[in-house]
Each structure stands twice: as C-alpha cells, then as structure tokens.
Amino acid sequence: MDPRDFLATMLADERLRRAASQAARRAKNLLAPAASFGVLRFARWRLADSASLPAPDGFAGRELRADELAGAARAFSRHPGSFHRRARLGDRCFAAFLGERIVNLRWAATRPIEVPELDLFVCLPQGEVYFYAAMTLPAFQGRRAAAVTRRAMEGALAAEGHERGCAYVSLDNFASVRTRHPFHEVLFDLGYLRLRGGRAHVFGEVGPPVYRESDIPSPLPAPLPDAAPPQSRPG
C-alpha cells in the first residue's frame, strides 16, 4: 500500500488516529533528551480559496496590534521579546478571540525564514506568504479556533494582493493533517533526525520553496536571524 493511502486510512478511523497520536507523542517524549525526529509535510494553497470557507461561530479573528503582542506571548507561555522580535522583522500575528481572551494565534511572514527542525529555509516568491508558529490554548483544542485565525489572516492577506499561502504540518499532528483541504497542493514530505547538540539529518528531496542556506537564489534576500523557538503544530 502506498504510504499516503495508509495514512489516509488511518486518519479516517478515530480509534487508530488516537492510538497513533499517543504512540507518536510517547516516542518523542521518551527520546527528547537524546534526539528529535519527525516528518514535515509542506503544502501550498490559494488564499482566496481558503479564505472563502466559512469560519466557525463563537470566535472572532483579527490581526494583533503591537501593544497586544506581549500579552499574547504570556498567554501562551512565551517570552514577549520573541514576539516583538518577529514583529520587528516584519512578521504579522493574527489571533482568534473568545470575548477578550486570545485562544489561538498564528504568524505570517514574507521574508526568508528558517525551519529550525530542518536547518533549512523557506524562501517564497513575491505574492506568497509563509504561515508558522500556530498555537492553541489546551482548553480550546479541537474547537476549530485555528480555523478562525486562518480565515482572518488569509482574508486580510488576500485583500492586500497576496495570492498563495505555504506552511508545513508535522505528520504526527493528525488533527491538522486530517483537516487539510482538497485544494491544498502537497509539495513534498521531509523527514528529519537531530541528535542532541548536532545538526539535522534531512531525509527526502528538498525543493522550492525550501532551500539550504547556501542554495538560496541570489535575487532573494538573505535570511534574518530569529531566535524564537519553532512551533511545529499548525492547524
């Protein structure tokens, strides 16, 4: 059986999906002191197609103001400096609210940006936006707050002239893989293994818009440093 067919079959069964997710988490937690590993699936889609989908009721989504970033960082147990650093680099943060409470957020970037799990860089052509660092408060997971954030950011970015979005999802994040829409174009899967203190070993064929730093096309700007830790669970 093709690996993708096997994955689709597994995701369709709630019992198998839950068991596989628990097994993956246990394996990662067990090996975390010595190594990190996983498979990341990169996809691209038209912002207008995604933004046109209905958003769930009960939440409101919008872009965060600069004076809201510190509070958002603390809500997700992040250092405010990391959020302000991203904003200084030009990245934008959108969030879903329940009343006045931020329950989900996600970042959007048009600059070349590192995928720390891989030691590789996403460098998008003009008109495309990279989505990263999706976060949901534990109490609101499974309630589709992330969809509200996505509709807000995709609608705003499409209105500004951006045409496509790009992101990755970790294949052990079964909820996000399962909710991928049919119009998403899967680009490729990249596996990685990083022993503690070492560089990532990447498995799979690397292609645009993902590059090794030495292979970034010369018309594109060099990547800017971002010390914020990665979040690999979009969706």
Side-chain angles (χ1 to χ4, degrees):
M1 176 183 288
D2 183 276
R4 292 188 180 183
D5 293 338
F6 174 77
L7 180 63
T9 301
M10 183 174 64
L11 291 174
D13 187 299
E14 177 66 28
R15 185 175 52 186
L16 289 176
R17 186 166 64 245
R18 187 180 299 111
S21 180
Q22 291 172 349
R25 284 197 298 269
R26 282 196 294 266
K28 282 194 168 184
N29 291 336
L30 180 64
L31 295 175
S36 60
F37 63 92
V39 179
L40 306 184
R41 170 164 292 175
F42 288 81
R44 175 190 285 127
W45 63 95
R46 281 175 43 85
L47 295 177
D49 292 340
S50 188
S52 65
L53 296 174
D57 294 330
F59 301 97
R62 63 172 173 81
E63 185 172 3
L64 293 183
R65 303 185 307 268
D67 62 357
E68 295 176 303
L69 291 176
R74 287 190 288 268
F76 290 89
S77 301
R78 301 298 192 272
H79 193 283
S82 66
F83 277 32
H84 286 297
R85 185 181 303 108
R86 289 171 177 169
R88 287 196 301 270
L89 294 173
D91 298 356
R92 299 164 64 179
C93 187
F94 291 76
F97 292 78
L98 183 63
E100 297 297 318
R101 185 182 186 187
I102 296 177
V103 299
N104 172 273
L105 61 78
R106 197 173 195 181
W107 287 84
T110 55
R111 63 184 173 97
I113 187 169
E114 186 177 14
V115 182
E117 295 95 330
L118 304 176
D119 295 331
L120 300 174
F121 294 84
V122 174
C123 303
L124 297 174
Q126 187 173 3
E128 295 195 10
V129 183
Y130 179 62
F131 293 172
Y132 74 101
M135 307 176 196
T136 303
L137 293 180
F140 293 88
Q141 291 177 356
R143 295 176 58 180
R144 301 194 63 211
V148 176
T149 301
R150 283 192 56 174
R151 300 298 175 269
M153 67 195 313
E154 289 166 337
L157 294 167
E160 294 171 5
H162 298 286
E163 297 180 355
R164 294 183 182 272
C166 178
Y168 72 80
V169 61
S170 176
L171 288 190
D172 64 357
N173 182 2
F174 293 102
S176 292
V177 175
R178 183 167 55 92
T179 56
R180 184 181 66 84
H181 295 293
F183 53 77
H184 284 196
E185 174 194 0
V186 175
L187 301 175
F188 44 74
D189 299 338
L190 293 176
Y192 68 94
L193 171 65
R194 183 194 298 275
L195 300 179
R196 184 175 182 181
R199 292 190 61 81
H201 300 278
V202 178
F203 307 94
E205 186 173 348
V206 177
V210 180
Y211 300 88
R212 295 179 174 84
E213 188 169 10
S214 59
D215 296 332
I216 294 175
S218 56
L220 292 172
L224 297 170
D226 180 3
Q231 299 299 316
S232 59
R233 301 178 85 73

